[in-house]
Amino acid sequence: MKPRGPRRPVLLALGILLAWLVGAVVVRLGLDWSDTFPYSEASEWRYLGVAVVALTIAIGGSIASILVFRRASAPHDRRR
């Protein structure tokens, strides 16, 4: 069995950071896209949609990183 070093928690933190970074990129690109339209009441809904998509990506990516970390850290069952 390989000893667990500090590398795995660092990879977990990088995965979560990457998820939030992708979410921030979605916000930036989404708001740039939304600003190409003239301002109206629909603009507020576009802004809200961009925010929801970005948060979904960030939170979903964080959860996925945690699940991958847990699965990689769990002892493997060799009976399968």
Side-chain angles (χ1 to χ4, degrees), residues 42-78:
S43 298
E44 298 298 325
W45 289 104
R46 280 192 290 270
Y47 295 154
L48 184 61
V50 167
V52 167
V53 169
L55 278 174
T56 301
I57 290 171
I59 294 170
S62 297
I63 291 170
S65 296
I66 292 168
L67 293 176
V68 167
F69 175 76
R70 283 179 144 183
R71 175 168 273 183
S73 297
H76 298 289
D77 187 10
R78 299 205 184 266

Side-chain angles (χ1 to χ4, degrees), residues 27-40 42-44 46-47 50:
V27 166
R28 179 69 183 150
L29 294 175
L31 291 180
D32 283 347
W33 164 78
S34 184
D35 287 341
T36 61
F37 299 98
Y39 183 78
S40 67
S43 298
E44 298 298 325
R46 280 192 290 270
Y47 295 154
V50 167

Side-chain angles (χ1 to χ4, degrees), residues 4-21:
R4 295 181 186 168
R7 182 176 161 198
R8 287 186 189 244
V10 170
L11 290 177
L12 172 63
L14 285 175
I16 293 172
L17 183 64
L18 181 64
W20 285 90
L21 183 64

Side-chain angles (χ1 to χ4, degrees), residues 1-2 74-80:
M1 186 173 188
K2 213 163 56 167
H76 298 289
D77 187 10
R78 299 205 184 266
R79 288 181 283 172
R80 289 187 205 177

